[in-house]
Amino acid sequence: MTRRRFTLGLAVVAVPLVLALLGPLFTGAPGPRSGSFTLGGEHWLGTDFVGRDVWRQVLHGGRTVVLTALAATALAYLVALPVGLVSALTHVRRLEELLMRPLDVLLAVPSLLLILLVASVFSPGAAGIALLVALVNVPDAARIVRAAAGEVAARPAVEALRMQGETWWRIAVGYVGRSALRTLAADAGIRLTGVLYLVSTAAFLGVGVAPDAADWAVMVDRNRTGLFVQPWAVVVPALLIVALTTGTNLLFDAALEKTPRQKGRRP
């Protein structure tokens, strides 16, 4: 069952990933524009709202979404992991409060609202969106890391390691981090889906991208007026975003599901 789910997830996520990462290499030079929202002819997926070939826009439109989401998730954990581990393993209450309370304040602000507020002050590009999305994900990710590491840090084995004179790095990364890896990996899979949602929503609202950019989320937004005339300009990019998030979750679920041999072991 696990192998079947992994294969299904890999098959689902492979299509949008291949199109996103390799698609721009096979687009060639742009051809002449046709009428808006046309079907047939030289454009086998039709044309978009300004007469551009939809298939060419699809090939160009995924790289920004995928790379921005991956960068934002990695940046969020780059900050959340040390903050969460230090908070879980420190015996200094003041240090723990100093690390976590500012993140609790940030956690109280809705993610999309914060992104829109910052975007109203300056216009972020793809790198700016990645930083903003990472920022709004740090508080929640840090709390997950702290909770997972705190449960492991309370085990007698950690106290034994301290008494043996092991370094903080060896305890935090070698034992606590490794023991909490399954929980953190599961959270990373779910978080990547949420990050994809935020990145796509920001692009849908025109934040960080040009109004006519080759971006899957922008394509959904700008072509929705012609949905019943030329549906492929909306349906194809929307399905690719859905496949990317669904396939990612299936892959992580399959990778984290314990085999019968592992179920009897303690993590």
Side-chain angles (χ1 to χ4, degrees):
M1 184 64 183
T2 301
R3 182 173 298 178
R4 186 180 304 173
R5 186 181 302 176
F6 183 85
T7 303
L8 177 61
L10 187 61
V12 171
V13 81
V15 175
L17 276 181
V18 169
L19 289 177
L21 300 179
L22 301 181
L25 301 177
F26 302 99
T27 54
R33 296 190 180 185
S34 303
S36 301
F37 298 129
T38 61
L39 287 169
E42 297 179 357
H43 311 287
W44 66 286
L45 283 183
T47 60
D48 65 1
F49 69 106
V50 291
R52 296 174 300 188
D53 183 74
V54 169
W55 176 240
R56 189 175 191 278
Q57 294 299 105
V58 166
L59 292 177
H60 270 291
R63 181 173 290 184
T64 302
V65 175
V66 172
L67 294 183
T68 302
L70 290 175
T73 305
L75 287 171
Y77 271 99
L78 190 64
V79 177
L81 280 172
V83 170
L85 286 174
V86 170
S87 299
L89 294 172
T90 185
H91 293 286
V92 182
R93 183 69 177 178
R94 186 173 299 178
L95 177 59
E96 183 181 355
E97 293 290 328
L98 181 64
L99 290 171
M100 299 304 298
R101 294 295 79 81
L103 296 182
D104 290 343
V105 174
L106 185 60
L107 187 62
V109 183
S111 302
L112 188 57
L113 176 61
L114 181 60
I115 293 174
L116 293 176
L117 286 174
V118 174
S120 67
V121 178
F122 66 93
S123 299
I129 288 295
L131 288 173
L132 285 174
V133 174
L135 176 65
V136 299
N137 274 274
V138 166
D140 192 37
R143 292 175 69 89
I144 294 292
V145 174
R146 179 192 177 195
E151 186 275 329
V152 179
R155 296 177 183 174
V158 174
E159 187 62 30
L161 289 173
R162 286 198 181 101
M163 294 178 65
Q164 291 174 9
E166 295 289 350
T167 63
W168 185 91
W169 177 265
R170 175 77 181 274
I171 296 173
V173 178
Y175 181 77
V176 175
R178 187 177 59 183
S179 299
L181 184 60
R182 294 180 64 85
T183 301
L184 300 183
D187 178 68
I190 298 172
R191 193 163 306 282
L192 180 59
T193 301
V195 166
L196 281 166
Y197 162 78
L198 274 178
V199 171
S200 299
T201 303
F204 182 86
L205 297 174
V207 178
V209 294
D212 60 346
D215 183 281
W216 289 345
V218 174
M219 290 178 67
V220 174
D221 175 40
R222 301 296 289 174
N223 294 310
R224 57 192 168 92
T225 55
L227 176 62
F228 296 105
V229 179
Q230 211 291 67
W232 301 119
V234 176
V235 172
V236 173
L239 285 177
L240 288 171
I241 294 174
V242 171
L244 190 61
T245 56
T246 304
T248 300
N249 274 328
L250 286 172
L251 280 178
F252 273 90
D253 286 345
L256 294 172
E257 186 175 342
K258 292 184 178 181
T259 63
R261 182 179 298 179
Q262 292 174 321
K263 289 181 179 179
R265 299 177 184 176
R266 184 178 180 179

